[in-house]
Amino acid sequence: MQKRNDVIGVILVIVGLGAAVVFFSFFYDGSLPSRDTAPALGESAGLVNRGKRVARNCIACHDLTRAKKKDRIGPPLWGVVGKPSGISPDFKYSRAHMIKSNEGLLWNEENLDRYLQNPKAFIPGNWMAFAGIKVDEERWALLAYLKTL
């Protein structure tokens, strides 16, 4: 009886690992861009690297590559810093987001910081199903990384 329980346990572990691999491969395509150049002035390599780690939370919904290889439920984030909001072609933004875009919302560091802290408070009614990044240092690291894209 003990050997049977051991076999069942091994099978469950294998099935669980297989499910984890399938889940991870579905949401992560290995496409986080590498940083080939030095960080921008004022940005430490450590901060950018920390931001790259934080950005792993974004890849389930956003493409972070220059090639925009993957259609995601969120708009691509390559080059987002400094650009007007709501301009990604072929992406359907929420009505609330388009209202802000039409008002001239620019994704500068200040606006991105406020948005990433609490997306629903910054643009009430937007579709982003993300509660935000409450830890300032993590948000700032993500911003430092996004500036390198």
Side-chain angles (χ1 to χ4, degrees):
M1 189 66 170
Q2 179 63 30
K3 285 189 178 194
R4 183 172 184 223
N5 287 343
D6 289 345
V7 169
I8 290 172
V10 168
I11 290 172
L12 289 175
V13 167
I14 291 170
V15 168
L17 288 172
V21 167
V22 168
F23 178 80
F24 187 73
S25 65
F26 180 77
F27 285 111
Y28 179 67
D29 62 3
S31 65
L32 279 179
S34 63
R35 175 92 169 124
D36 295 329
T37 59
L41 286 176
E43 303 299 339
S44 73
L47 186 65
V48 171
N49 286 333
R50 182 176 180 185
K52 187 174 183 177
R53 286 190 300 276
V54 173
R56 290 181 181 145
N57 297 318
C58 307
I59 62 173
C61 299
H62 298 277
D63 184 8
L64 300 178
T65 64
R66 178 186 304 269
K68 298 177 180 80
K69 296 188 286 189
K70 298 285 184 178
D71 289 329
R72 306 283 186 169
I73 61 174
L77 298 180
W78 186 275
V80 69
V81 179
K83 296 224 172 125
S85 70
I87 63 166
S88 288
D90 303 323
F91 184 79
K92 182 172 172 44
Y93 292 91
S94 67
R95 184 174 187 276
H97 197 104
M98 289 311 298
I99 289 170
K100 282 289 198 182
S101 179
N102 291 335
E103 291 172 357
L105 176 63
L106 180 68
W107 286 131
N108 59 27
E109 289 180 60
E110 178 185 346
N111 287 334
L112 278 168
D113 184 47
R114 290 176 51 215
Y115 183 74
L116 290 171
Q117 184 175 23
N118 189 341
K120 295 291 184 194
F122 189 74
I123 302 178
N126 83 75
W127 292 338
M128 187 157 156
F130 178 66
I133 302 171
K134 304 306 180 210
V135 178
D136 292 341
E137 292 79 12
E138 297 227 336
R139 216 173 42 254
W140 298 336
L142 178 59
L143 287 169
Y145 176 65
L146 289 175
K147 285 173 29 179
T148 69
L149 302 181

